[in-house]
Amino acid sequence: MSVRPKSRLLPNLCYKRRLLLVVLVAAALIFSIISSTSSWRKVRTEIKDTPASTKHNHEKPIEKTEREKLDSTPEHAEVLKIEPQEEPVPTIIEDILLSSSKPPPGRTIFFIESSCHRSYTQYKMSRIKAHQACPIESAALHNPNFQVFVLFACPTHLNKSLPIIDALLSYKSVHFRSLNLEHYAQDTPIGDWVKKGDLFTSSYLMYHLSDLLRLITLYRFGGVYLDMDVLQLRSLEDEPLNFAGAERSDSIGNSVISLEPNGFGHQLGELFLQDFQKNYESDAWAHNGPMGLVRVLSEVCGTKNVSLMVNNRDCCHGFRVFDIKAFYEVRFDECKMFFEPENATETLARTKDSRMVHTWNHIVRRWPLKIDSKSAYMQWAVQHCPRVVAATGELFY
């Protein structure tokens, strides 16, 4: 009896079937794990994104509405404080030439913020600090019959209510306006020169722009221009227009300038603009500002000696050059006297007859000051800009 030998293919076939079965089982197990993990992540995401009032099935959906109603009542005001608030729509500051409310000629005090000196830049009014706002309030406080216009050299907006800005706007005479340099210079003696762009070759653009804008402003409207670091200690309303002040024995400062809106004051404004264009130097800091006043007034007054111009309206055809103590009693190299309590007595004594004080913000780095500081500056601030001081808190920036 013969025995039929087993085929060698049979063991191989069984092995391959078992291997295929193992692979299929493994694949099914991996797919099951992945599916369950994905489902769990989805559940976690839904739980995280679900409001607290709907995380549990036994809570009714109406609970959220009831909670919102409770939150609107006064006793839940504290809850509202931590709720996210929508960003308010910015308030765009009007252009001075397009506004229906313009500065009354010869009855306006002007301040100019020129740090945003490119038309494509924007200025946020939150950048105004207390030491800039204080002079603005002092002008409004001491001159209730004048309007006070603060001009910005680029598009400007206010995003929200700010304590310092609110303090200034509590004076109905205070107004904020923006300007466009090219449009602002049109129809003035320097309009074509501004279009050429020579101004923008300046090494001190912010300062030279400010020098120019104050002259254009006084040519257009007349009145009084003040730097934003000139603090008023008494009223200007009793002083006829057309004045500036000696800064040194050989220099006239341009931080305080006044011109009539017509007549000789307007003619003088034209001469100042013509001199700015004719003698403009892009790399000389004071040449286009204070020295420009000296050049023009030397011709008008018939002398280059500033000391002979001082308090001599007859000599200068009605234009008054105040003596040094009126505006510039404390020199720029003495400016620390404003901020050191140990110098307060001397500083107050030296400025007792001053109409204003120039605090030289462009070189001062003394901020902040404590509100209770005994320095001369803080004593003045409490008296001459009380609302700004009240809005600043414990530190005066």
Side-chain angles (χ1 to χ4, degrees):
M1 181 176 179
S2 63
V3 179
R4 188 177 180 178
K6 294 182 179 180
S7 172
R8 294 181 179 179
L9 294 176
L10 186 59
N12 290 338
L13 183 60
C14 291
Y15 172 78
K16 290 181 179 180
R17 287 177 179 175
R18 287 196 298 269
L19 180 61
L20 178 61
L21 181 61
V22 169
V23 170
L24 290 175
V25 170
L29 181 60
I30 292 172
F31 179 80
S32 176
I33 293 173
I34 292 174
S35 298
S36 62
T37 302
S38 176
S39 299
W40 172 237
R41 285 178 179 171
K42 183 177 180 180
V43 170
R44 287 180 63 189
T45 301
E46 291 174 352
I47 292 174
K48 182 178 180 181
D49 294 340
T50 302
S53 58
T54 58
K55 284 182 182 178
H56 305 288
N57 291 334
H58 64 270
E59 292 185 14
K60 298 180 179 180
I62 195 172
E63 183 182 352
K64 182 177 180 180
T65 302
E66 293 173 348
R67 184 173 298 164
E68 290 173 346
K69 290 180 179 179
L70 287 174
D71 285 349
S72 65
T73 60
E75 57 266 27
H76 288 269
E78 291 188 2
V79 176
L80 285 175
K81 287 181 181 178
I82 62 174
E83 290 291 328
Q85 300 294 324
E86 291 186 4
E87 185 71 19
V89 177
T91 300
I92 306 300
I93 304 304
E94 288 184 288
D95 186 292
I96 188 171
L97 297 182
L98 302 179
S99 173
S100 59
S101 177
K102 291 184 172 59
R107 304 298 294 174
T108 304
I109 298 172
F110 294 96
F111 296 87
I112 297 176
E113 169 55 69
S114 61
S115 63
C116 58
H117 45 263
R118 298 288 189 180
S119 60
Y120 53 79
T121 60
Q122 290 192 346
Y123 185 90
K124 293 182 179 180
M125 290 181 63
S126 59
R127 291 172 57 187
I128 293 181
K129 305 303 181 186
H131 66 268
Q132 296 172 301
C134 187
I136 298 171
E137 181 180 356
S138 72
L141 178 67
H142 289 298
N143 304 279
N145 296 312
F146 275 65
Q147 297 297 298
V148 178
F149 273 66
V150 184
L151 308 183
F152 299 90
C154 70
T156 302
H157 61 273
L158 177 64
N159 278 69
K160 58 183 178 180
S161 177
L162 299 167
I164 289 177
I165 301 302
D166 292 343
L168 293 176
L169 291 176
S170 67
Y171 293 89
K172 293 184 179 181
S173 60
V174 174
H175 312 272
F176 297 105
R177 296 289 185 271
S178 65
L179 63 87
N180 176 286
L181 173 60
E182 188 170 321
H183 296 163
Y184 201 52
Q186 283 180 3
D187 303 320
T188 75
I190 207 167
D192 292 338
W193 182 83
V194 168
K195 287 182 180 179
K196 288 172 56 182
D198 290 355
L199 175 69
F200 295 95
T201 64
S202 171
S203 302
Y204 307 95
L205 181 56
M206 183 176 70
Y207 300 104
H208 290 167
L209 175 60
S210 180
D211 290 335
L212 176 59
L213 286 176
R214 70 193 67 186
L215 298 180
I216 295 175
T217 298
L218 293 177
Y219 177 83
R220 279 186 168 277
F221 302 107
V224 180
Y225 167 83
L226 302 177
D227 273 355
M228 289 181 73
D229 55 359
V230 173
L231 185 66
Q232 281 201 46
L233 307 182
R234 61 188 66 184
S235 177
L236 287 173
E237 291 186 353
D238 62 340
E239 181 63 34
L241 299 179
N242 292 345
F243 60 81
E247 186 176 318
R248 300 188 307 268
S249 60
D250 61 345
S251 175
I252 299 173
N254 71 337
S255 297
V256 179
I257 313 176
S258 167
L259 293 177
E260 292 174 327
N262 44 43
F264 177 67
H266 190 65
Q267 295 172 16
L268 201 53
E270 183 174 356
L271 292 176
F272 286 143
L273 287 172
Q274 290 172 348
D275 177 84
F276 190 99
Q277 176 178 341
K278 179 182 178 181
N279 296 298
Y280 178 72
E281 291 187 9
S282 61
D283 57 353
W285 182 71
H287 179 82
N288 310 302
M291 298 313 297
L293 268 63
V294 172
R295 287 191 297 271
V296 172
L297 291 175
S298 294
E299 294 293 327
V300 170
C301 303
T303 177
K304 295 182 178 181
N305 189 332
V306 173
S307 298
L308 295 179
M309 302 178 195
V310 169
N311 294 326
N312 190 349
R313 282 188 181 270
D314 292 336
C315 171
C316 297
H317 300 277
F319 189 92
R320 180 177 182 180
V321 178
F322 279 91
D323 59 22
I324 293 174
K325 68 180 180 182
F327 312 139
Y328 306 103
E329 171 61 28
V330 178
R331 301 188 308 270
F332 72 91
D333 55 350
E334 300 177 304
C335 62
K336 69 177 183 179
M337 295 183 66
F338 293 129
F339 309 102
E340 301 293 345
E342 58 268 25
N343 297 127
T345 300
E346 180 185 353
T347 305
L348 294 174
R350 283 180 57 178
T351 57
K352 63 182 179 64
D353 296 322
S354 297
R355 287 175 171 264
M356 310 180 202
V357 286
H358 187 204
T359 58
W360 312 102
N361 276 358
H362 66 286
I363 57 175
V364 169
R365 298 292 183 269
R366 298 281 176 153
W367 315 110
L369 296 175
K370 291 184 177 180
I371 290 295
D372 59 358
S373 168
K374 300 302 180 184
S375 65
Y377 188 95
M378 284 313 305
Q379 292 187 55
W380 284 326
V382 168
Q383 182 179 356
H384 301 290
C385 58
R387 299 183 191 180
V388 169
V389 170
T392 59
E394 296 182 0
L395 295 177
F396 189 94
Y397 285 88

